[in-house]
Amino acid sequence: MASIATLATSAVAPVQASAVASVSKTFAAAEDVFVSQAEPAKSFATATWLSVCGTGCGSATTGQRIALTRFKITGIPQDAENVKATLDLVSARTTDTTVSVRPVTGAWTEAATTWNTRPALGTPTLSSHTGFTAGRTAKLDVSSAVEGDGTYAFALTGTDATTTVLMSSRESGNRGPKLTVTYAEGTGGEQTDGPLPFTLAGTAALRASAKKVFAHYFTPYPISLDNQAPASDYYARNYLKPEGESGKHAAYGGLLRDRPLGRDPIAGDYAVADLKTEVKQAIAAGLDGFTVDILSVTSAHWTRVQNLIKAAEAVDPGFKIVLMPDMNGLASVDSATLAAAMATLAASKSVYRLADNRLVVAPFKAEGRTAAWWSDWMKTMETTHGIKVALVPCFLDFNKYRDAFASISYGFSNWGNRNPAANASLDTNIDRAHSMGKIWMQPVSVQDERPNQGIFDEAGNTENLRATWRGAIDGKADWVQLTTWNDYSENTQFAPSRNAGWTYLDINAYYLTCYKLGCPKITNDTAYLTHRIQPVAAQPTYTQTKLMKLRTGSTAARDTVEVLTMLTAAGKVSVTIGGTTQTYDAPVGVSAKTFPLKPGAASATITRNSAVIAKVVSPYAISATPYVQDLHYRAASSER
């Protein structure tokens, strides 16, 4: 079998089509508000104007005003070329003032935002305009921040002591902020439908492969914990803020650095509805199922396990749930109780069984109990509940315990590592398992940063992700476990999230296809951008008493921005980081190149024959002075 490196460059470039038409679409602001430093707790949500003023506004040292506006852009084709975006502002006064526009990086809502709760802003100024005439429209170019469909938020700031007053979107006569997007339509021949650089095979074709790909589901972090709006839900109030949960996470700057993609409150059983959403997300990403971490057989975590199985049954019973009792959380549970609980779950047609009807059980940290204990437990499962078990223990130390468990196991797995240095020779474990007549479930991972444990691995942008997939493919692993779908406390998540959107799942879909069916033809030029939002050594401005340190044995820490390209033919890449632009030639197929991390904004544009074929602008500003230590790699795609 050819290696992944060989297969990844086998795409043939299609004929490039030229643009055939020019289109312009205008969008009214979905929300807008201004905030005033002079009245820091006051909401101006009902005001019919927007105010912008500098710090010396009205001769006051604390008189600054900032306006915020948000747009929801839809209907821009995936193959749109030469996308330009202009922010249109109608002035209510004639002033010789300057207004600048910046991207908004923090969460906010029109109704709840005051000066005290204002969101974080991106560091680059997108554009500025000087001189406003009452009733006239000023135009500010924000093209560098707008790629196509999506939600975009901008801040209007000023340095003048005189107030600039603008019409609000609440103003009658439709004179509020507008975003005008113009683009050239392509023929569609040079692009595939959807956000991937290739056409993902159908669910039936992917599932027909004997090679299975599961993602580890961690019950503490569902999409929502309280069915509240994302700007003020439990994640926002308690997990992402250092002072959350009465300050219990203050020492390490808050429990989490990322969270699931937010949603508005929904009616009915939101917990099951959210789990259905996650099942659908996983299916759309090509996964065969979840390995569910069973932390308890009585608590809310147990209820979530049951609901996850219920959600899989409702969405698609072909999406399988692998039972993974966690021997940390279940350390005090006796054999009979665990057997009864697993038998209850096994009644579902969505719970994974082999073709011979054996129930697959893959305990996490299986060495937490002896092989003899597991042997007795399996006998209880069969004699008391009539269920034969195919045991696939997931070890923390495979080589120490493999021999003891060999006689009772169908296969083996280990939890694995999260840095390229530790994942350089993965075929050794796979070969060992196969030589013992066992299947092997290979862990595939993105990264690992644990604020509450004070430790992190250096993932090297997407290098660790690519290395673990390379090991699974070249080593001929039987199954793969993505570690994890949603453990936000360890920052190992693949799931669609605030910090990465769908990017890691999109990259993963390519390698998943290589693993199951052979690497697909690249038909859509795509670029992915990954970077941290701070240098590793940067000190936070918040007083943290516990900082993450590099795990012993990890790849050395690095400060880099990576451009990962998947191209139909060679192209020229221009990378701008912190205002400095560098160029390089990217080859056909899959290629990654890194550049030094610098404070500011990061983006990459790919051209071929002088035409822009892909552009990715990171929405995450890089700062040398972060609020809290945050070593989680952000990710962005040119296609989402």
Side-chain angles (χ1 to χ4, degrees), residues 478-532:
D478 305 274
W479 299 348
V480 160
Q481 179 179 210
L482 306 182
T483 51
T484 64
W485 175 258
N486 63 333
D487 189 347
Y488 294 94
S489 60
E490 297 186 356
N491 284 297
T492 53
Q493 61 277 1
F494 278 82
S497 74
R498 182 195 67 174
N499 288 357
W502 280 72
T503 302
Y504 289 127
L505 277 180
D506 288 350
I507 297 170
N508 189 76
Y510 175 81
Y511 291 100
L512 176 152
T513 302
C514 292
Y515 170 66
K516 282 177 168 277
L517 306 174
C519 287
K521 176 182 178 182
I522 295 175
T523 55
N524 180 21
D525 296 303
T526 304
Y528 302 105
L529 200 65
T530 56
H531 63 85
R532 292 192 174 108

Side-chain angles (χ1 to χ4, degrees), residues 1-2 23 153 165 174 366 369 410 418 421 429 445 471 474 542 549:
M1 176 178 174
V23 178
V165 181
N174 194 31
R369 300 290 176 90
Y410 171 73
R418 314 286 181 267
N429 284 344
S445 56
D474 291 349
Y542 180 81
K549 297 180 180 179

Side-chain angles (χ1 to χ4, degrees), residues 210-281:
K211 297 176 179 177
K212 303 301 176 187
V213 180
F214 306 102
H216 182 89
Y217 192 93
F218 194 52
T219 55
Y221 303 115
I223 287 177
S224 178
L225 291 160
D226 56 4
N227 198 30
Q228 299 298 308
S232 57
D233 67 1
Y234 201 90
Y235 283 106
R237 298 192 315 271
N238 290 301
Y239 284 167
L240 292 167
K241 293 182 177 180
E243 61 272 20
E245 294 195 320
S246 301
K248 67 185 289 186
H249 309 296
Y252 37 88
L255 178 63
L256 306 184
R257 299 298 184 265
D258 196 10
R259 58 162 299 158
L261 288 179
R263 57 148 180 81
D264 293 330
I266 57 178
D269 189 341
Y270 76 89
V272 173
D274 283 344
L275 290 166
K276 288 180 181 178
T277 295
E278 293 193 88
V279 168
K280 292 175 184 177
Q281 290 172 338

Side-chain angles (χ1 to χ4, degrees), residues 102-108 119-124 153-154 498 618-621:
R102 294 165 63 185
V104 177
T105 57
W108 64 281
L121 309 183
T123 52
F154 302 102
R498 182 195 67 174
S618 173
Y620 314 105

